[in-house]
Amino acid sequence: MLATETFNLLKKHQIRLDRKKGQNYLINNHFLSRIIENAHLDDSDVVLEIGAGIGNLTVLLAEKVSKVVAIEQDKRIVPILRERLNEKDISNVEILVGDATKLKFPYFSKVVSNLPYQISSPITFKLLHYDFDFAILMYQLEFAKRMVAKPGESDYSRLSVMMKLCTQTELLFKVPKNAFLPRPKISSAVIKLIPSRNPDVDQFFVNTCRALFQHKKKKSGKALLQSFHEISDLDLDRSTIRDLISHVDGKLIEERVFKLNPEEILIISSELEVVLEKM
Ligand code: SAH
């Protein structure tokens, strides 16, 4: 049993896992298999695994692909991972010890990971700077729901907008708490993310989007007015800002932020950028 094996390995090495470090180890073979199936792996793949832990997923990945690049930050855990791979005669895993948000990733074709939840957001955005086929990633359910939420839904957020514009993302299946050791406080979900470059998503757009979603329920014109400091560091008075915003499509600035679709937010940001450039 994988649960027993995991428990015994941790006990043998006197490791107490720490939820604060995102340490929730997947101990359910059914969900591990479903992750592997959805990754459609073959021997041409190089898989990046972020947060390998003691290797419950790593071992299964290594069987199918040419190479696994496994990142793990916790120095107490890495020796156990190495020992386990050695025992199983697995030699196609390169272990990188360090913080995955800071390390430069080497080449990979796919990402398959049960992510440490506290770095969900920075890792997701970091991945968008790389070119790869797709990612199969485990997130906390709440985060996964925000990733795929549609305009008008309560989970719709800046993250949903970015995912819609820079990826094709779908929620594949939910994973219950008892699939993990230790058991997390909330359920999880596995996401498939296919990256797609979008040249319109630049820093100005990101800033505009942030300003809007600071006031998600307000009309977008009002949201822009109240958070204009996120968009421009020019020291403008309120009436000048109001005037600038009035140059944006009238129908869009009257709409509530949470109802705007990503393409409409792109229009708002590009129109605003044009008027600001004329200042
Ligand atoms: N994939 C394993 C472990 C998942 S738990 C399994 O499913 O069983 C997430 C792992 O990520 C933990 O081992 C934790 O120590 C590690 N981790 C946490 N923060 C990290 C970071 N910033 N960079 C790399 N690894 C990290």
Side-chain angles (χ1 to χ4, degrees), residues 82 98 127 155 237:
R82 278 195 214 287
L127 285 174
D155 289 322
D237 60 46

Side-chain angles (χ1 to χ4, degrees), residues 48-103:
L48 177 69
E49 188 192 1
I50 298 160
I54 60 167
N56 287 1
L57 183 58
T58 324
V59 167
L60 301 175
L61 294 168
E63 277 171 8
K64 303 236 171 202
V65 302
S66 87
K67 184 176 162 185
V68 180
V69 177
I71 307 182
E72 174 55 54
Q73 183 175 37
D74 190 333
K75 294 202 172 68
R76 301 173 307 157
I77 303 287
V78 173
I80 311 178
L81 175 62
R82 278 195 214 287
E83 183 184 309
R84 198 160 178 215
L85 296 173
N86 280 341
E87 273 168 13
K88 294 186 194 279
D89 256 340
I90 296 171
S91 57
N92 60 341
V93 178
E94 181 190 348
I95 301 175
L96 301 180
V97 184
D99 180 349
T101 61
K102 300 203 175 113
L103 289 175

Side-chain angles (χ1 to χ4, degrees), residues 156 212-213 215-216 218 220 223 255-260:
Y156 188 55
L212 285 167
F213 277 93
H215 312 277
K216 192 172 148 176
K218 293 195 174 147
S220 61
E255 187 61 278
R256 308 259 164 209
V257 172
F258 74 100
K259 290 189 175 163
L260 291 169

Side-chain angles (χ1 to χ4, degrees), residues 128-243:
L128 299 183
H129 296 288
Y130 288 84
D131 187 17
F132 55 99
D133 297 349
F134 63 83
I136 304 290
L137 299 169
M138 175 96 73
Y139 291 97
Q140 283 183 319
L141 180 60
E142 312 306 313
F143 192 88
K145 280 185 180 163
R146 283 203 288 127
M147 289 175 83
V148 298
K150 301 208 166 58
E153 295 177 356
S154 64
D155 289 322
Y156 188 55
S157 62
R158 205 159 70 82
L159 178 69
S160 334
V161 173
M162 293 297 287
M163 289 300 111
K164 185 75 201 326
L165 292 174
C166 302
T167 71
Q168 244 179 286
T169 297
E170 68 177 300
L171 196 155
L172 294 177
F173 53 88
K174 294 182 189 170
V175 182
K177 299 175 220 179
N178 63 11
F180 301 90
L181 180 81
R183 199 186 274 231
K185 293 212 171 70
I186 28 184
S187 307
S188 299
V190 173
I191 285 270
K192 177 169 185 176
L193 178 160
I194 310 174
S196 55
R197 283 217 176 278
N198 189 333
D200 295 332
V201 176
D202 56 11
Q203 195 55 47
F204 190 86
F205 172 81
V206 172
N207 296 346
T208 306
C209 203
R210 181 180 297 117
L212 285 167
F213 277 93
Q214 280 175 355
H215 312 277
K216 192 172 148 176
K217 293 196 172 143
K218 293 195 174 147
K219 291 184 178 174
S220 61
K222 188 131 207 187
L224 291 173
L225 181 64
Q226 291 188 352
S227 284
F228 205 75
H229 56 273
E230 295 283 355
I231 302 171
S232 164
D233 43 23
L234 295 175
D235 190 18
L236 303 171
D237 60 46
R238 238 175 138 73
S239 70
T240 313
I241 299 174
R242 204 169 267 151
D243 181 55

Side-chain angles (χ1 to χ4, degrees), residues 6 17 21-27 32 49-58 71-74 77 96 98-101 113-119 123 180:
T6 307
L17 292 177
K21 293 184 186 156
Q23 292 175 331
N24 295 292
Y25 289 3
L26 199 45
I27 50 165
L32 281 164
E49 188 192 1
I50 298 160
I54 60 167
N56 287 1
L57 183 58
T58 324
I71 307 182
E72 174 55 54
Q73 183 175 37
D74 190 333
I77 303 287
L96 301 180
D99 180 349
T101 61
S113 306
N114 168 20
L115 287 176
Y117 294 142
Q118 81 284 13
I119 59 167
I123 282 295
F180 301 90

